[in-house]
Amino acid sequence: MAEIQPLVAGNWKMNGTTGALGELDALHQQLLDKGSGVNADVMICPPATLVSAAVARCQDGPLAIGGQDCHANPSGAHTGDISAEMLRDAGATAVIVGHSERRTDHGEASGDVHAKAEAAWRAGLVAIVCVGETETERRANQTLKVIAGQIAGSVPASATAENTVVAYEPVWAIGTGLTPTTDDVAEVHAAIRSQLAEMLPDGEGAKVRILYGGSVKPANAGELMAVPHVNGALVGGASLKADDFLGIIAAYRTA
Ligand code: PGA
């Protein structure tokens, strides 16, 4: 199996004003101090208003900064939206697309997410494409079918391990403190891995990082990150405090 460099990404969602940059500084400092002992890439996706400031504070350090969403177009009459090019201009290196909160709050369908992933690449950003089933879908034994449909619809066929990350986030596990069993996580991640391997040419599907997200905490990160085909985490609530996030990154500590 290909060696895959894990990624632990924090999604601050609609949380944080400039005062929150103190947590970013604390995280950054800890990574600088212990960086060589962490076998994972680390990223924070703050609100768009903080991207520039976050980038300025993490210059040349090990902490990457990403956006939480982008419009599919590079510019135009789309009041309130932000393009991938704007995020790139602000210094972001990645953007989350298709988070379930976007799919629910803004009615985004997989076709929209597909277009946003391509927009991310156009701007030189890595697209972090999110998929996940609802509680009703899981109860109805539809999980694998729903995820397969979302992957087929949201991940462009020209995705590579360099420009794309997939995040599996069961909707019912987000912000609830609930997590699937490690067997359930293993089943979904293995299914995503096989689908990507079939969909993407040149062996890229074997190398794309597949993150798990949904109530990842320091206490469960070790067991979740040890599941086969889990190549890191997408973390919401526990990324807001440097100590909690560091407790999750500790799953990848080598020293
Ligand atoms: P959570 O959110 O860690 O707060 O459950 C995860 C996410 O939505 O990315």
Side-chain angles (χ1 to χ4, degrees), residues 162-183:
E162 285 288 304
N163 66 20
T164 303
V165 173
V166 170
Y168 167 56
E169 300 202 299
V171 178
W172 53 271
I174 294 177
T176 58
L178 303 172
T179 51
T181 64
T182 49
D183 283 353

Side-chain angles (χ1 to χ4, degrees), residues 33-240:
D33 293 348
K34 301 184 181 158
S36 57
V38 176
N39 180 28
D41 295 335
V42 183
M43 181 186 297
I44 289 287
C45 301
T49 48
L50 294 181
V51 167
S52 290
V55 167
R57 291 161 103 116
C58 298
Q59 213 89 56
D60 301 325
L63 187 53
I65 301 298
Q68 297 179 10
D69 174 56
C70 66
H71 195 278
N73 293 350
S75 63
H78 303 287
T79 303
D81 276 316
I82 292 170
S83 71
E85 281 76 1
M86 290 168 177
L87 288 170
R88 175 76 190 189
D89 180 56
T93 53
V95 60
I96 299 168
V97 293
H99 189 282
S100 69
E101 287 150 18
R102 299 289 316 175
R103 291 181 188 254
T104 305
D105 294 358
H106 298 271
E108 289 183 11
S110 288
D112 301 311
V113 179
H114 187 283
K116 289 178 179 212
E118 290 184 327
W121 302 346
R122 183 188 65 220
L125 300 178
V126 172
I128 303 175
V129 181
C130 301
V131 297
E133 83 285 2
T134 62
E135 188 178 9
T136 313
E137 289 162 345
R138 176 158 283 272
R139 287 227 181 102
N141 275 325
Q142 296 294 302
T143 299
L144 293 182
K145 190 168 157 235
V146 167
I147 302 300
Q150 290 179 346
I151 295 277
S154 310
V155 179
S158 49
T160 68
E162 285 288 304
N163 66 20
T164 303
V165 173
V166 170
Y168 167 56
E169 300 202 299
V171 178
W172 53 271
I174 294 177
T176 58
L178 303 172
T179 51
T181 64
T182 49
D183 283 353
D184 287 341
V185 173
E187 183 184 37
V188 175
H189 277 245
I192 294 174
R193 175 65 69 214
S194 333
Q195 185 174 0
L196 291 174
E198 259 172 49
M199 263 175 70
L200 308 183
D202 306 323
E204 290 296 323
K207 297 184 286 182
V208 168
R209 292 184 276 198
I210 308 173
L211 313 184
Y212 168 78
S215 295
V216 179
K217 307 267 183 278
N220 61 20
E223 65 172 15
L224 287 166
M225 298 306 105
V227 172
H229 301 298
V230 172
N231 312 119
L234 183 54
V235 184
S239 69
L240 293 170

